[in-house]
Amino acid sequence: REEGREEGREEGREEGREQGALDAMANAVLAVLEARKLSPSEDVRRTIGECKNARTLDRWLRKAVTAKTAEEIVQQRRKR
């Protein structure tokens, strides 16, 4: 029984670490956009903040460096 509880706690910690990493990546994307004065709309902020895919967030972070608009970085995701 105790072993099951410890296993559950470890799974919870792992999920927390993963969520923390995703949140940090989303915040980095938004920080780059804001630093470049590309004010993201609430819709773009929500799309970035709700993303649960590290690869997508990494791609958006790289695009945020050169994008002409904040909307541009999430357009492909919305077309799918």
Side-chain angles (χ1 to χ4, degrees):
R1 196 170 184 192
E2 184 57 36
E3 188 177 311
R5 285 186 190 144
E6 182 54 37
E7 200 172 292
R9 282 192 286 266
E10 183 54 39
E11 286 176 17
R13 284 190 288 270
E14 180 61 28
E15 287 176 17
R17 284 189 288 270
E18 290 173 8
Q19 186 59 52
L22 292 172
D23 291 346
M25 291 179 77
N27 287 334
V29 173
L30 293 171
V32 169
L33 292 173
E34 290 169 5
R36 295 192 57 229
K37 309 287 190 247
L38 299 176
S39 302
S41 67
E42 284 304 312
D43 191 37
V44 169
R45 285 179 177 281
R46 186 175 23 265
T47 298
I48 293 168
E50 292 176 354
C51 183
K52 303 299 180 208
N53 185 299
R55 282 186 167 157
T56 298
L57 287 165
D58 182 63
R59 186 175 70 246
W60 288 348
L61 180 57
R62 293 169 191 274
K63 289 174 87 174
V65 174
T66 59
K68 291 185 172 109
T69 67
E71 180 72 27
E72 178 183 320
I73 71 163
V74 296
Q75 281 180 339
Q76 273 190 328
R77 176 75 171 210
R78 290 186 181 156
K79 288 180 185 176
R80 292 182 185 166

